[in-house]
């Protein structure tokens, strides 16, 4: 969004408190949602839970097209619609809820840098594995993406999405990479994150920030989604502090009121992870 | 006066009815004509003339034998020729001209030749048709035999058009290509492509009539069209194909159509309401529809008598696709001429959309109401259920109008330009709502009858050719409900 639009939205957002009926929209959990979308959605949900803001998750077949930017997830708060983690963080900040207020400028810049790293590496790797790897695309991504539609629309939309992602990969230079190289990149990214995390509970001090939410969203989804090959998950499992980090956030923020840990991911069929969450 | 032969320089095309025009004709050449229709004499003159007809006038003459007037002398049409054919196949034309063989006398031959000419022209494959009636020659020529020849000029194989259009904050370039009479049996292939600053659309259409029965025809279409609907903050892109079969049955005209459309809906602006945002996305509609219409009006734009009844049904979902519904709508119009050249016109429309399978209806399938074509005085399609200023349409509606058209007061420009204008008094009413299908018909009627919007007023109407009308009205809207515009 442009600066002027940003300022305008902030003005509007600041006017009202967080309502009770805020909703988050994502594609259908059981049959439709793909790895990358699920990761982004989980990151936003984790962030909102960390802020203590209640939100209801609603699944819609056309969530991707409902979103103003075309990306999942988006939230509907009052009569405003905001999509993607970055704008949502700014939106909640305008309403007075923020996780990164306690950071100084250097730390904030570092946080932004790591968030960019996750977006450029992990998210892109997820998209690559889903759509550019022929086996995964044919077995998992295309059938799931097109499941709500009838023939021939299902084929048209699935191939359209695949071409779009492949074009984007070529544009950013990932078109020529092999799967092995992508796995290597993921390993390096995880190594950088692992080093930064060290033995701390969260990335910055003892309080979680949006970076924690983002990393949790991506790593947790990769760990708990079964793809055609479990190489991606294996690479992450080799960093034990990242594993315990994920488990810690799951226990802290995705627990229901009775103190029982709600199973976040059900490993049933290949390629899909379903989440049971209570607000 | 005389029994004469009138060689005319004019083509038969200019006479609505040959006898009448010729009677008015001033340039007349008299040739010597003896009291029988002698083959030799007529033939000589025929070579020089484009068209040629023989008439008798009521008053008696001293040249002709009164008993041999052209009405009673029997003739036999021996040959009917068509000249000037290129790619058109002859079997197609046989049906149109076959009637000419049954003519019994000369006047009958002329009448039937004229009718055949009209039938040939309506096929849309000839630029021009000229008729030549001559006595027959050759070895098997009978003394009272006639040969009728149609001289036709085929249309070009390919015609193109290029327009630019500006409007609605958008400029576009429209290219059209037409291939008439593609395979020789009056098939027509049309292609239209529109390239605009905002949207691009195109369409390809193939039309094939049944030889001998032009009113029975098949049309195949493939298209991509885009539309913007600011009253709902919605934009729609349709890519689809359709197959349509038209046929007359008695007095009615039936159309059977299958249509498969991939619809893509999106918000027109970021400020669109959430209800419209929820409708964004893709859907596939595969629908069968049937329309029956009876039209006895004398004009489509300014009918002064006659009636129109059109009933349309559409069933979607049973031939594939996501959308599943049954849609019915009808239109009824009655016109009657009153005193002093004024016309009273009453019309009624209505429709109902019934979703099948429990899914909610799509905004692109619902009915809309309001605007200068239905209930005047209200904004375009701005009646009925709405959300934050965006009109969502309804599942059932009815609308009615009572119009009185009179010529302009004091009739300025009578007989010419002034006839294109009419004054217009109207009373419109209508209602659009969503029905709760669990209740019975009585509840539905009650729901449609409450909250009626209506308006009345007067204005001036201008007829543009035979295709459109321009109105300027002063309306007083009444019964406005909250949310209408």
């Amino acid at each position: 969004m442009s600066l002027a639009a940003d300022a305008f939205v902030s003005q509007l957002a600041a006017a009202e408190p967080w309502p009770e009926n805020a909703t988050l929209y994502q594609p259908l959990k059981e049959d439709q949602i793909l790895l990358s979308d699920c990761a982004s959605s989980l990151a936003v949900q984790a962030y909102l839970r960390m802020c203590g803001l209640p939100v209801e998750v609603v699944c819609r077949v056309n969530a991707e097209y409902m979103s103003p930017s075309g990306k999942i997830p988006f939230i509907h708060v009052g009569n405003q619609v905001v999509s993607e983690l970055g704008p949502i963080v700014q939106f909640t900040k305008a309403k007075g809820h923020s996780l990164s207020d306690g950071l100084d400028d250097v730390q904030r810049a570092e946080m932004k840098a790591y968030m960019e790293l996750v977006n450029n590496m992990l998210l892109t790797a997820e998209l690559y594995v889903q759509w550019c790897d022929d086996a995964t695309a044919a077995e998992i991504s295309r059938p799931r993406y097109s499941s709500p539609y009838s023939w021939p629309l299902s084929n048209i939309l699935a191939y359209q999405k695949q071409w779009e992602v492949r074009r984007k990969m070529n544009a950013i230079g990932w078109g020529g990479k092999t799967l092995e190289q992508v796995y290597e990149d993921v390993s390096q990214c995880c190594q950088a994150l692992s080093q930064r995390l060290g033995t701390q509970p969260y990335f910055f001090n003892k309080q979680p920030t949006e970076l924690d939410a983002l990393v949790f969203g991506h790593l947790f989804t990769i760990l708990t989604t079964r793809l055609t090959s479990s190489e991606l998950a294996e690479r992450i499992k080799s960093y034990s502090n990242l594993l315990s980090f994920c488990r810690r956030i799951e226990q802290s923020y995705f627990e229901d009121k009775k103190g029982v840990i709600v199973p976040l991911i059900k490993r049933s069929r290949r390629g899909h992870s379903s989440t049971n969450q209570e607000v | 006066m005389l029994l004469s032969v009138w060689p005319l320089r004019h083509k038969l095309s200019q006479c609505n009815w040959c006898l009448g025009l010729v009677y008015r004709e001033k340039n007349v050449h008299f040739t010597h004509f003896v009291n029988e229709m002698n083959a030799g004499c007529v033939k000589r003159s025929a070579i020089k003339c484009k068209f040629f007809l023989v008439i008798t006038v009521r008053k008696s003459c001293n040249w002709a034998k009164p008993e041999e007037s052209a009405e009673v002398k029997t003739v036999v049409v021996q040959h009917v020729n068509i000249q000037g054919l290129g790619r058109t196949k002859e079997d197609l034309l046989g049906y149109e001209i076959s009637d000419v063989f049954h003519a019994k006398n000369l006047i009958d031959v002329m009448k039937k030749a004229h009718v055949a000419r009209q039938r040939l022209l309506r096929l849309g494959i000839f630029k021009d048709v000229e008729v030549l009636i001559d006595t027959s020659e050759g070895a098997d020529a009978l003394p009272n035999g006639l040969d009728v020849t149609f001289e036709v000029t085929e249309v070009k194989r390919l015609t193109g058009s290029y327009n630019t259009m500006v409007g609605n904050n958008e400029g576009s370039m429209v290219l059209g290509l037409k291939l008439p009479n593609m395979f020789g049996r009056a098939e027509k292939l049309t292609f239209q492509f529109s390239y605009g600053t905002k949207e691009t659309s195109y369409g390809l259409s193939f039309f094939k009539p049944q030889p001998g029965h032009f009113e029975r025809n098949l049309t195949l279409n493939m298209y991509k069209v885009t539309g913007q609907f600011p009253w709902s903050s919605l934009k729609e892109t349709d890519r689809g194909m359709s197959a349509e079969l038209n046929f007359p049955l008695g007095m009615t005209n039936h159309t059977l159509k299958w249509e498969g459309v991939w619809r893509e809906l999106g918000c027109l602006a970021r400020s669109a309401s959430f209800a419209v945002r929820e409708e964004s996305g893709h859907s596939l509609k595969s629908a069968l529809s049937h329309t029956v219409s009876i039209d006895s009006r004398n004009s489509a734009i300014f009918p002064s008598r006659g009636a129109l009844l059109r009933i349309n049904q559409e069933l979607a979902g049973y031939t594939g696709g996501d959308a599943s519904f049954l849609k019915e709508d009808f239109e009824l119009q009655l016109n009657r001429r009153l005193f002093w050249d004024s016309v009273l016109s009453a019309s009624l429309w209505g429709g109902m959309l019934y979703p099948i399978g429990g899914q909610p209806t799509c905004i692109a399938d619902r009915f809309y109401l309001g605007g200068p074509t239905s209930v005047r005085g209200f904004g375009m399609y701005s009646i009925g259920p709405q959300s934050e200023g965006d009109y969502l349409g309804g599942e059932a509606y009815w609308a009615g109008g009572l119009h009185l058209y009179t010529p302009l007061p004091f009739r300025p420009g009578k007989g010419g330009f002034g006839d294109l204008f009419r004054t217009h008094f109207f009373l419109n009413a209508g209602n659009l709502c969503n029905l709760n299908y669990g209740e019975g018909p009585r509840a539905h009627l009650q729901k449609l009858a409450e909250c009626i919007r209506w308006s009345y007023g007067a204005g001036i109407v201008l007829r543009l050719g035979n295709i459109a009308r321009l109105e300027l009205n002063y309306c007083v809207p009444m019964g406005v409900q909250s949310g209408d515009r």
Side-chain angles (χ1 to χ4, degrees):
Chain A
M1 287 205 290
S2 68
L3 281 177
D6 263 344
F8 183 64
V9 168
S10 304
Q11 276 283 62
L12 285 182
E16 302 156 354
W18 191 268
E20 286 299 315
N21 61 350
T23 29
L24 181 142
Y25 289 87
Q26 64 172 35
L28 303 181
K29 268 190 289 211
E30 290 292 320
D31 300 310
Q32 190 190 13
I33 199 168
L34 292 174
L35 176 61
S36 50
D37 292 338
C38 194
S40 308
S41 175
L42 193 56
V44 170
Q45 287 174 51
Y47 175 76
L48 290 173
R49 281 180 185 244
M50 288 171 184
C51 291
L53 300 171
V55 75
E56 186 195 344
V57 177
V58 173
C59 296
R60 286 285 169 90
V61 165
N62 57 342
E64 185 181 350
Y65 306 107
M66 279 166 69
S67 161
S69 68
K71 298 230 168 54
I72 307 294
F74 70 94
I75 56 171
H76 181 217
V77 175
N79 56 0
Q80 302 238 293
V81 178
V82 191
S83 66
E84 294 184 79
L85 184 65
I88 290 177
V89 167
Q90 281 178 325
F91 182 73
T92 51
K93 200 182 234 177
K95 287 213 186 284
H97 306 269
S98 172
L99 293 181
S100 52
D101 280 342
L103 302 179
D104 59 26
D105 286 339
V106 173
Q107 286 178 317
R108 199 165 287 141
E110 205 183 340
M111 181 185 75
K112 283 201 164 58
Y114 274 102
M115 283 178 77
E116 278 306 307
L117 175 70
V118 172
N119 276 331
N120 287 343
M121 281 293 176
L122 278 184
L123 182 60
T124 318
E126 284 164 6
L127 283 173
Y128 184 94
V129 168
Q130 275 171 194
W131 293 106
C132 297
D133 173 34
D134 290 323
T136 318
E139 271 182 49
I140 298 173
S141 311
R142 285 204 302 265
R144 283 181 69 89
Y145 188 77
S146 61
S147 56
Y149 303 103
S150 46
W151 185 89
L153 189 59
S154 50
N155 288 1
I156 298 174
L157 289 179
Y159 278 102
Q160 208 176 46
K161 179 77 178 173
Q162 182 171 323
W163 289 334
E164 194 187 308
V165 174
R166 286 195 181 178
R167 249 203 324 265
K168 183 180 163 192
M169 292 290 137
N170 286 336
I172 58 174
W174 280 56
K177 289 196 182 185
T178 64
L179 210 50
E180 267 310 306
Q181 285 173 324
V182 170
Y183 290 146
E184 266 310 303
D185 286 339
V186 169
S187 280
Q188 284 178 356
C189 177
C190 290
Q191 191 179 18
L193 289 172
S194 180
Q195 276 179 346
R196 181 66 185 81
L197 183 63
T199 50
Q200 297 169 346
Y202 301 109
F203 278 94
F204 290 100
N205 309 330
K206 296 199 167 34
Q207 292 301 320
T209 56
E210 46 263 33
L211 175 61
D212 300 280
L214 185 63
V215 172
F216 169 73
H218 283 276
L219 294 184
F220 195 84
T221 317
I222 295 177
L223 287 171
T224 50
T225 303
R226 206 172 285 173
L227 296 171
T228 46
S229 109
S230 55
E231 180 70 24
L232 208 53
E234 293 303 320
R235 299 277 178 137
I236 297 177
K237 280 185 192 158
S238 57
Y239 298 96
S240 55
N241 61 346
L242 291 178
L243 285 182
S244 50
F245 167 76
C246 290
R247 203 159 287 131
R248 193 180 313 122
I249 295 199
E250 183 191 356
Q251 284 171 356
S252 317
Y253 293 102
F254 289 92
E255 222 175 68
D256 74 355
K257 297 182 185 59
K258 296 203 186 86
V260 174
I261 297 172
V262 176
L264 257 180
I265 307 285
K266 248 200 313 228
R267 295 191 198 203
S268 33
R269 293 198 332 260
R270 276 168 80 90
H272 100 253
S273 55
S274 70
T275 57
N276 299 331
Q277 292 156 3
E278 309 279 334
V279 170
Chain B
M1 279 173 25
L2 307 157
L3 177 68
S4 329
V5 168
W6 304 60
L8 277 179
R9 300 286 170 230
H10 296 267
K11 305 177 212 162
L12 180 58
S13 56
Q14 285 174 353
C15 44
N16 277 332
W17 169 213
C18 315
L19 252 178
L21 178 67
V22 167
Y23 202 15
R24 275 192 225 143
E25 180 58 45
K26 292 208 169 76
N27 299 328
V28 163
H29 298 265
F30 288 81
T31 54
H32 286 295
F33 183 67
V34 200
N35 46 8
E36 68 252 38
M37 284 205 277
N38 192 311
C41 207
V42 168
K43 192 172 86 176
R44 260 203 308 281
S45 311
I47 295 170
K48 294 187 207 141
C49 312
K50 274 208 183 239
F51 170 61
F52 201 138
L53 77 100
V54 175
I55 63 159
T56 48
V57 183
R58 291 265 162 79
K59 299 183 192 167
S60 64
C61 70
N62 40 6
W63 292 6
K65 292 185 191 157
E67 63 271 21
E68 277 199 359
S69 60
E71 278 115 3
V72 296
K73 169 138 186 181
T74 45
V75 296
V76 166
V77 177
Q78 289 194 276
H79 299 116
V80 178
N81 307 314
I82 304 187
Q83 287 178 358
L85 292 182
R87 62 182 188 275
T88 313
K89 302 278 186 287
E90 283 130 17
D91 55 3
L92 170 77
L93 305 174
Y95 297 99
E96 316 296 341
I97 57 173
S98 60
D99 214 25
V100 180
F101 283 106
H102 302 133
K104 290 287 171 266
N105 56 56
L106 188 58
I107 302 292
D108 212 14
V109 168
M110 288 179 334
K111 278 196 223 173
K112 287 199 155 58
H114 180 70
V115 166
R117 180 181 171 276
Q118 295 291 92
R119 287 171 65 110
L120 285 175
L121 280 175
R122 83 163 169 14
L123 293 177
I125 56 182
F126 299 129
K127 232 185 328 200
D128 207 4
V129 178
E130 289 168 16
V131 186
L132 194 63
I133 307 180
D134 193 2
T135 51
S136 44
E137 13 178 315
D140 59 342
L142 296 175
N144 62 345
L146 287 183
D147 275 350
V148 181
T149 307
F150 293 93
E151 285 173 6
V152 302
T153 326
E154 283 182 347
V155 292
K156 292 204 200 107
R157 217 172 253 278
L158 175 70
T159 50
S161 70
Y162 174 84
N163 308 320
T164 41
M165 289 197 318
V166 178
N168 270 352
N169 289 333
E170 179 183 359
S172 59
M173 172 187 102
V174 182
L175 177 72
L177 283 177
K178 194 157 84 162
L179 282 84
N181 201 12
M182 227 171 67
F183 301 122
R185 290 197 173 82
E187 302 91 352
K188 186 163 70 167
L189 187 72
T190 336
F191 176 66
Q192 190 168 40
F193 178 75
S194 159
Y195 181 75
T197 48
K198 286 189 199 157
E199 314 278 1
T200 303
S201 57
Y202 41 84
L204 181 72
S205 166
F206 177 71
F207 170 81
K208 171 148 178 66
Q210 182 182 3
H213 301 98
F214 190 71
E215 288 74 26
R216 287 195 214 149
N217 48 56
L218 173 73
T219 312
L220 300 172
N221 278 322
M222 253 176 49
Y223 56 89
K224 175 198 168 197
V225 290
T226 49
Q228 299 197 343
F229 309 111
W231 48 84
S232 304
S233 296
L234 187 73
K235 74 170 185 250
E236 181 176 345
T237 304
D238 284 350
R239 297 170 181 89
M241 55 176 79
S242 72
E244 191 177 315
L245 191 68
N246 284 315
F247 53 93
L249 207 64
M251 275 188 10
T252 60
N253 214 341
H254 292 254
T255 305
L256 280 176
K257 180 169 168 187
W258 170 81
E259 189 177 19
V261 186
W262 163 20
R263 292 185 300 208
E264 188 182 336
L265 295 170
C267 295
L268 201 55
R270 206 151 194 273
S271 55
S273 67
F274 200 71
V276 170
R277 195 172 276 282
E278 284 181 319
E279 303 264 4
S280 314
H282 298 261
S283 66
L284 187 68
K285 175 179 94 159
S286 164
L288 287 168
S289 73
H290 170 244
T291 310
V292 54
S293 73
I294 307 174
D295 192 355
S296 63
R297 303 175 300 175
N298 59 345
S299 154
I301 302 298
F302 266 162
S304 59
R305 58 182 159 76
L308 166 71
L309 172 65
R310 190 177 54 79
I311 302 178
N312 178 40
Q313 307 160 102
E314 188 176 346
L315 177 67
Y318 286 90
T319 43
D322 306 316
S324 188
F325 58 81
L326 173 66
K327 191 171 180 182
E328 300 267 352
D329 64 276
F330 74 92
E331 181 183 343
L332 174 67
Q333 190 187 87
L334 300 165
N335 302 289
R336 192 188 166 83
R337 199 183 206 108
L338 296 179
F339 51 88
W340 289 337
D341 236 359
S342 54
V343 176
L344 184 68
S345 174
S347 48
L348 181 67
W349 302 265
M352 204 175 83
L353 175 67
Y354 180 69
I356 301 176
Q359 334 161 5
T361 53
C362 176
I363 197 172
D365 294 320
R366 291 187 212 130
F367 297 106
Y368 293 84
L369 188 64
T373 50
S374 47
V375 184
R376 293 173 178 77
F378 289 83
M380 190 77 189
Y381 294 138
S382 300
I383 288 180
Q386 54 101 15
S387 156
E388 296 169 35
D390 294 331
Y391 291 89
L392 308 173
E395 291 170 0
Y397 85 107
W398 67 269
L402 196 65
H403 303 253
L404 179 68
Y405 297 98
T406 59
L408 292 174
F410 311 116
R411 300 199 180 220
K414 178 177 179 176
F417 193 60
D419 276 349
L420 294 175
F421 288 88
R422 308 230 103 188
T423 44
H424 171 216
F425 301 95
F426 61 87
L427 174 70
N428 290 139
N431 192 10
L432 176 78
C433 60
N434 288 315
L435 297 180
N436 186 351
Y437 289 105
E439 307 164 354
R442 191 175 287 254
H444 296 164
L445 284 173
Q446 201 178 3
K447 191 141 191 229
L448 282 170
E450 64 191 18
C451 308
I452 296 181
R453 285 91 163 160
W454 56 284
S455 70
Y456 62 89
I460 298 184
V461 191
L462 166 66
R463 176 167 58 110
L464 295 171
N466 216 13
I467 45 172
R469 58 194 249 174
L470 209 60
E471 287 186 14
L472 182 65
N473 295 319
Y474 179 78
C475 324
V476 180
M478 313 277 289
V480 181
Q481 304 296 317
S482 68
D484 296 343
R485 204 165 29 222

